[in-house]
Amino acid sequence: MSVRGRGATDHPLGIEEGGGFRLITLGRLALLAQGGEADESLGKRRRKLALLAVLAMASRPYSRDVLADMFWGEEDDERARHSLSDALSHLRRTLGREAITSRQAEVGLTREIALRVDALDFAAACKAGDHARAIALYGGPFLDGVYVEASRRFEEWIASERRRLADLFVHACRERCIELARARGWSECHAVAQRWLTTSPLSVDAALYLINASKASGTRESAVAALNEYDALAALLARDYESKPDGRVTALAAALRARIESGVAGDVERPFPRAQSEPRQPDDSSGTIAAGSAVPDGFAAPPSPRASRDRPAHSARRRTLAAVAAAAASLVLLGAGTFLAGRRAAADSPPRAAAVAGRPVVAVTLVQNVRGDSSLTWLQDGLKQMISADLSRSPAVEVVAPSRVRDVAARMEPGDEGQLSTLDAMRIARGVGATWAVTGGITRGDGVYVMDAGVRDVATGRLLRLFTVTGTDILAVADQVSSRILATAESGKPGPRLSDIETANVGAYQHFVRSIQAGYEGRFADQVRELDDAIAADSGFVSAIVARLRVARVQGDESVVPRLTRLFDAARGRASDWDIAVQELYTAFHDGERRRSERLARALVSDHPHDPRAYDWLARVYMSHGEWDAADTVFQRELSLDSLALSAGNGPCASCAALAGLSWLRLYSGQLPAGERAARRWVALQPDVPASWSMLSTALAYAGRYDSAIVAGRRAELLAQGGAAYEMRLGRILVMERRFYAADSAAAAWSTRPGDDFHADALELREIVLRERGRLRAADRVIAEAVAHYPEAASLSLTRANDLARLGDVHGAVRIYETGSHPRPVQSAESVPLAPLHGDGARAFCWAHALEADALAARGDTTHLRALADSIEVVSMRSYYGRDWRLAHHVRGLIAMRSGRYADAAREFRQAMWGANGWTMTNERLAIAELRLGRADEAIAALRQAYEAPPDAMGRYAVRSELDLYMALAFRAEGKPDSSTVYTGYVRHAWAHADPEVKAKLRALTSSATSSATSSGG
């Protein structure tokens, strides 16, 4: 039998008659037995199956060392070789004893193995020019979703193979489309072009083939279908790539629009005139309609760009409406053919040929002039046009063209009163293939339009939703109706969906949903822009205002808070049930009402079981309270939501949000491998968003794998198209790796770039590096510069106080801590004043006083320390942050240390621990206590956890170079001089030019007594 499927075969899947195993690598990874069932022995052993894929794709044997490093690089050499041998034995048991050859130090598959590989069959078909077979064999990206934990070599190999095979697939699609265009095989050409665009969304040729294949029949219906394809592509490029279709594609769409307008007489569709033209080869240099594509019959060259230029839809609608007000009678005669000209292409489009599964097909069938007001007669058709046009902008529903509804209605006999009934409206909806029928009545009084509307299920006649909307502007009335219909569509979905998004503007709704997605994906600039656009479209959109306020506070952008607060106060009466519930939860949470906030968060999930935001709130509350297991359970529940079911705008990926939370949660609690696995699952689900790679980078950095962390961080930065936040994270990783000169270079580069964010981050990174080098006075000057220029850097004052204390100026440090621990009253995101010692006020009090206690510990004033411990214990119960509830234990540990009660100190420090790597000063103090007790191994364990945290937030106060000092002492005490020498080298190198007060600590490295060595630790 031929080896690994390199020969051709007549079987559609490439399996020879009587053939053995088949390895599926395109789109997934599976080993199929002769009967087509998956092999169970390897199905759950993904690493061994990935090893088989590597061997199967290889043109020559691999060395054992390479394979061991690729799949078991995190293990020591002996264990890695043993794991490789075990995997090869398993493969032999499955595939046959002679399947794998092992000559000296090399491993490969033999030529006798009964195994076919779809990727090799695919590549062979491409080489043979059998493009149809190649396309049929390509099941998706190579080893899609497969990864090997902690293996950079495997990641690089799989990326190279995936890119090579995807390029072959694109070439096969291009050649196959040329063949099909010549043969007039437009239906298959359309299918191939769709797959081509899935792999290469920016391909101009693929877009041209897709549109030309759609319109090939030459009818108006096919032309409209082609325009729908163009609109969908344009929306995709705008949303995911922030770009527009190529000019040639746009020109082709413009030509189609012009031909639709000129090729329709009244409402009667007729075929376009057929022209005799031969298809031609793609030619990227051509500027005609089908440049890069074969041209189907029936289309001439596009009009000039001037003639085909579109006007803004909303402006066109308002201009047309003004004309309507002046000449309503003539508008009735013109009907929908000329009404809302700027929106016609969207509103008149029939539903797509095949509606996406799960999306309702909506027909606005009946709008009655309830009181017979002659001035409202035109709205019986006009409102249907407006609502349909609004709905057509959303991917959540399919919309039946008003012209088709009108055609069917015209053939029906009206009732006794000369008007169609609701029953007639349902018959119309069935006649046009709709699944939902929208009916309503319009009246006017005192200058206010009132519309009662209902949404009915066509199959059952059941009323899905009944509502009333009002407004002085008929456009706003139409928008409100459309929003309620979209909300009805969302409420029926089984997967995640957003609850109670109250806005009268469809555009505002879509901007808001996209802002949520951008936030989940780590595209923070996009999140802010989408929220601003949502508020600009509807200044009373409460959910958007509150979300934007919270983002502003997180980012320290206080310049927009007053304006947003005024908008919130003005729109408070429009708050939805969701907004009210979240506001109540937010207030309870930030007021430190622990049990009530948990109860409200659980109720939020209970009331909105399909909204991922509710799960995020509940998990956030649990995490803030230190209830790690409960938060883990919530994230697991959120994972069960269908992450692809939310179709309004580009809705939030519930699975991705949950995986982000799980990764952070597990890193906090010291479960580093589990945290990395969750991050990798997120990357597999969303490989093209910056936040997933940034999360993976963070997880790798926590595990001390800094090179891989930087690679993942660079990927995040690239996907985010720059951004200070992502670059700052990379700068911190450089510090974690002790690459201080590289961090200095990064800070210098940032200081020359435009934007306050980069300048502020450059100063902060410089300050971090100076502290690591023991140059505390220079760091103090940098902090003063940062605080003077950037108000959001005010929190660095706490770091400055920490430096002053290290330099012996405890009085100056205490003055700063006392200023920071008694802040002025703050306001919540909903503009509700909070008491100074509740919520954020209590949090600031506890944190600053704990830092103050740490500074005072060297003085030995235990009376003052006891007072601080008692105050922190009382006030901490009013904080919403579980760390604060433990801070009093840290202070009592310091008191025990001063009294020489090291066992008590160690016990108190352990009770103060916030997760595994929270406040690194607690880890450091615990290590000192353990050294005094002669437990060097426990000291090393505590210090290792301190190394996991990046030098920010609670991790910035114990500098890594000082941790290195204590690690050197701990290894010396444990009797490991080699390890001690390594860490001694780290600290001596870092402190080569340190301040005298810091450099004096180096004497501890030459002292023979552990007690004297650790005396500086208090």
Side-chain angles (χ1 to χ4, degrees), residues 1-5 20-21 95-101 103 108-116:
M1 182 172 292
S2 62
V3 181
R4 298 195 293 275
F21 290 95
L95 301 172
R97 294 181 58 188
E98 305 302 322
I100 296 176
T101 179
R103 299 175 181 174
L109 299 185
T110 65
R111 291 289 172 178
E112 290 74 29
I113 183 174
L115 174 70
R116 301 193 66 84

Side-chain angles (χ1 to χ4, degrees), residues 913-983:
M913 294 291 287
W914 174 243
N917 41 55
W919 186 16
T920 47
M921 286 303 303
T922 301
N923 296 78
E924 182 182 286
R925 301 307 190 202
L926 173 61
I928 295 171
E930 296 290 5
L931 279 174
R932 294 294 185 91
L933 291 167
R935 300 194 296 231
D937 56 337
E938 295 290 343
I940 291 170
L943 291 169
R944 287 199 188 283
Q945 289 183 327
Y947 282 117
E948 294 170 4
D952 66 346
M954 293 180 289
R956 71 166 62 244
Y957 297 94
V959 296
R960 302 179 84 78
S961 53
E962 190 167 278
L963 296 177
D964 289 340
L965 171 67
Y966 292 118
M967 189 68 94
L969 298 173
F971 275 120
R972 178 194 296 178
E974 197 179 23
K976 295 182 177 179
D978 291 343
S979 296
S980 179
T981 299
V982 170
Y983 283 93

Side-chain angles (χ1 to χ4, degrees), residues 31 325 381 985:
L31 181 65
D381 277 335

Side-chain angles (χ1 to χ4, degrees), residues 451-518:
M451 183 171 180
D452 297 306
V455 182
R456 293 182 180 273
D457 181 81
V458 174
T460 64
R462 182 169 62 92
L463 184 65
L464 301 176
R465 187 168 187 181
L466 185 65
F467 52 88
T468 301
V469 298
T470 62
T472 57
D473 183 347
I474 196 62
L475 295 174
V477 170
D479 284 344
Q480 289 184 66
V481 173
S482 304
S483 295
R484 302 296 169 80
I485 295 170
L486 290 178
T488 306
E490 293 303 326
S491 66
K493 295 187 186 314
R497 55 177 178 265
L498 303 183
S499 302
D500 295 341
I501 306 300
E502 291 293 341
T503 175
N505 188 289
V506 176
Y509 176 82
Q510 292 176 319
H511 283 303
F512 181 72
V513 174
R514 286 195 290 267
S515 77
I516 296 174
Q517 180 70 359

Side-chain angles (χ1 to χ4, degrees), residues 825-992:
V826 297
Q827 291 185 324
S828 74
E830 286 79 14
S831 189
V832 178
L834 299 174
L837 292 183
H838 280 274
D840 289 310
R843 181 177 177 182
F845 178 94
C846 295
W847 182 231
H849 280 97
L851 290 168
E852 179 181 336
D854 209 77
L856 288 169
R859 285 186 172 182
D861 184 356
T862 56
T863 301
H864 194 170
L865 290 178
R866 286 191 178 91
L868 285 174
D870 292 342
S871 296
I872 291 171
E873 185 172 23
V874 171
V875 177
S876 68
M877 293 299 101
R878 305 171 190 169
S879 171
Y880 57 87
Y881 196 21
R883 175 211 61 187
D884 300 338
W885 309 336
R886 301 168 182 260
L887 289 176
H889 289 292
H890 180 95
V891 181
R892 292 199 170 98
L894 296 174
I895 296 170
M897 288 272 283
R898 295 304 309 179
S899 303
R901 297 181 287 110
Y902 301 117
D904 292 341
R907 184 175 59 256
E908 291 288 352
F909 288 134
R910 290 192 184 281
Q911 291 186 71
M913 294 291 287
W914 174 243
N917 41 55
W919 186 16
T920 47
M921 286 303 303
T922 301
N923 296 78
E924 182 182 286
R925 301 307 190 202
L926 173 61
I928 295 171
E930 296 290 5
L931 279 174
R932 294 294 185 91
L933 291 167
R935 300 194 296 231
D937 56 337
E938 295 290 343
I940 291 170
L943 291 169
R944 287 199 188 283
Q945 289 183 327
Y947 282 117
E948 294 170 4
D952 66 346
M954 293 180 289
R956 71 166 62 244
Y957 297 94
V959 296
R960 302 179 84 78
S961 53
E962 190 167 278
L963 296 177
D964 289 340
L965 171 67
Y966 292 118
M967 189 68 94
L969 298 173
F971 275 120
R972 178 194 296 178
E974 197 179 23
K976 295 182 177 179
D978 291 343
S979 296
S980 179
T981 299
V982 170
Y983 283 93
T984 297
Y986 289 152
V987 69
R988 287 190 184 280
H989 177 73
W991 290 355

Side-chain angles (χ1 to χ4, degrees), residues 650-684:
N650 185 22
C653 170
S655 298
C656 304
L659 288 170
L662 280 174
S663 187
W664 276 117
L665 172 65
R666 289 165 180 177
L667 294 180
Y668 287 155
S669 55
Q671 305 173 65
L672 302 190
E676 182 183 340
R677 285 195 297 272
R680 288 191 179 277
R681 286 179 64 188
W682 188 10
V683 168

